[in-house]
Amino acid sequence: MVHCAKQRYFCFCLAGEYALAAEAAEAAVAIARRAGLRFWESAHLHNAGEQFLRLGARDRARDAIVQSNEIAHEIGSERNTKHNDVLLADLDGLPERIEGTAKEARAANDAWLELFACYWLGHLLAASRRSDARPALERALHLAGELKVRMMADECAAAITALGV
C-alpha cells in the first residue's frame, strides 16, 4: 500500500499537479505512519513539504519538512536530511547553503542530489532576479536532461526563458 501511495504521488508530481501531489503525499504519510514505516513517513513528509513549497504554502511546507528531518535524523537517513536541508535553505532564503549541497553532490558524483539542489538554487536565485540564477538553472536543465526528468527540465527551461537575455 505504501508503494501504491508513492506511485500516486509521483504521477501527480511529474504531471505538474502539485496540489494533488501534496494530497497524495499526505495520504502516503498517514499510511506509513500507521504501518510504522519511519523511512517512508520521512520521505513522504518531504514530498508533501516540497509540493507545499511549490504551491506557496510556506508554513505547511516548513512543518512537513521539519517533521521529515526529525525522523530522518532519528533513523539515520542522511540522504533525506540533505534533501530536506535544500528545501529549508530555500524557505530561509539561503542560496549559499543550497550551493554547498550542489557542490558536495557534484564532488560525490551524486547527480540526483545535484539536480535537486541546482533546481531549487536556480529557482531561488531567479525569484530574487539574481544574475547567477542562469548558471544554476542551466546546470539543473543539463542534469534533468541526462537523468530524463522532463518535468524539471521543462520548468528550468521556462525559468531560463523568463530571465530573458
Side-chain angles (χ1 to χ4, degrees):
M1 192 145 188
V2 169
H3 292 292
C4 292
K6 176 179 142 184
Q7 295 310 315
R8 184 170 182 265
Y9 160 78
F10 278 122
C11 285
F12 287 129
C13 179
L14 295 176
E17 297 287 340
Y18 302 132
L20 293 172
E23 287 177 24
E26 286 186 306
V29 168
I31 292 167
R33 193 171 283 152
R34 284 192 308 269
L37 301 171
R38 300 292 280 164
F39 172 83
W40 289 109
E41 182 181 353
S42 174
H44 289 300
L45 280 163
H46 165 87
N47 292 341
E50 182 176 356
Q51 299 316 306
F52 291 139
L53 184 56
R54 289 175 189 276
L55 294 166
R58 298 176 68 77
D59 290 339
R60 289 184 76 188
R62 183 177 300 281
D63 289 345
I65 296 163
V66 167
Q67 286 179 54
S68 175
N69 237 9
E70 288 170 357
I71 295 168
H73 285 295
E74 178 185 311
I75 65 173
S77 180
E78 184 179 335
R79 187 148 189 87
N80 282 9
T81 301
K82 286 182 180 186
H83 281 82
N84 286 331
D85 288 345
V86 166
L87 297 181
L88 289 171
D90 183 274
L91 284 165
D92 294 336
L94 299 172
E96 307 80 26
R97 278 191 15 215
I98 303 172
E99 188 173 20
T101 300
K103 286 179 182 176
E104 288 173 18
R106 180 181 274 187
N109 258 350
D110 187 339
W112 285 100
L113 179 58
E114 184 184 0
L115 167 59
F116 188 76
C118 287
Y119 171 89
W120 285 101
L121 175 62
H123 283 84
L124 177 62
L125 296 172
S128 301
R129 303 299 295 167
R130 287 189 34 181
S131 61
D132 49 351
R134 183 178 299 276
L137 288 166
E138 287 174 347
R139 180 66 182 157
L141 177 60
H142 171 76
L143 289 166
E146 282 187 353
L147 296 171
K148 300 185 184 347
V149 185
R150 192 179 90 211
M151 174 212 60
M152 290 177 106
D154 291 348
E155 289 180 1
C156 289
I160 291 167
T161 300
L163 291 174
V165 178

